[in-house]
Structures are given as C-alpha cells and as structure tokens.
Amino acid sequence: MWYAIEGYDAVDALPRRLQARAAHLARLTALRDQGRLLLAGPCPAIDAEDPGPAGFSGSIVIAEFESLAEARTWADQDPYVAAGVYGRVEVRPFRKVLP
C-alpha cells in the first residue's frame, strides 16, 4: 500500500537539511530503484521554485510499504530526523486515484 510521509521542518533547519541531504536522497533513490517511490520532494517556505535562504517548510514522500508500521519505521530512520531537520513527521495511508 502507498503511504504519505510528511516531514515538517524545525525552526532554522536549512543548514542541517543541507548537511543531511545526500544521505536523505540516497534512501529515496533506493526506494525509487525498488519501484516503491511514487514521488518525493521538499516544500519551499516561500512561493518560489528555489527559496534560497528562506529554506523549506518540510517534505513529502509517497512510497509503498507493507504496512503503516513499516512506513513509520522507515520515516523514523530518515537522516533528516536524526539531524533534527524535521520537528515532526506524520505518516498515513495514501490511495492513488489519478493519474
């Protein structure tokens, strides 16, 4: 089943985000290579493709896992969690309808 993982950035998280980015992307690439990633990306803190020093308000990942528990475990092990980028993370089931 698909699961939506939404990470919400902590205050002043941009430097930590940049430092942990390579490890974070490596995990997403592994999901993609396994055919389990629907989409992933950051949410700019301002209305701009590149928010610059304004940074990001969080990230969204939609990926396939065997269970909600497995999705939560995966999310809890994200390098952004370990680095303190995310102040909170929500994981919930997702049903793809379109396209």
Side-chain angles (χ1 to χ4, degrees):
M1 180 167 187
W2 295 109
Y3 293 90
I5 300 168
E6 295 179 83
Y8 297 86
D9 280 23
V11 175
D12 298 322
L14 185 58
R16 296 184 302 278
R17 177 182 271 273
L18 295 173
Q19 187 173 31
R21 186 170 189 265
H24 172 76
L25 290 178
R27 294 180 82 230
L28 293 171
T29 299
L31 282 179
R32 182 202 63 197
D33 292 350
Q34 295 165 14
R36 297 173 45 206
L37 183 65
L38 183 63
L39 66 87
C43 300
I46 60 173
D47 189 15
E49 182 74 22
D50 179 358
F56 300 89
S57 62
S59 303
I60 298 171
V61 174
I62 299 179
E64 189 174 35
F65 295 94
E66 291 293 320
S67 67
L68 180 58
E70 184 183 317
R72 284 185 175 142
T73 297
W74 186 91
D76 288 344
Q77 295 170 355
D78 193 294
Y80 281 0
V81 171
V85 174
Y86 295 150
R88 84 176 199 274
V89 176
E90 294 182 9
V91 181
R92 57 193 166 159
F94 177 81
R95 190 174 137 218
K96 182 178 184 270
V97 175
L98 294 171

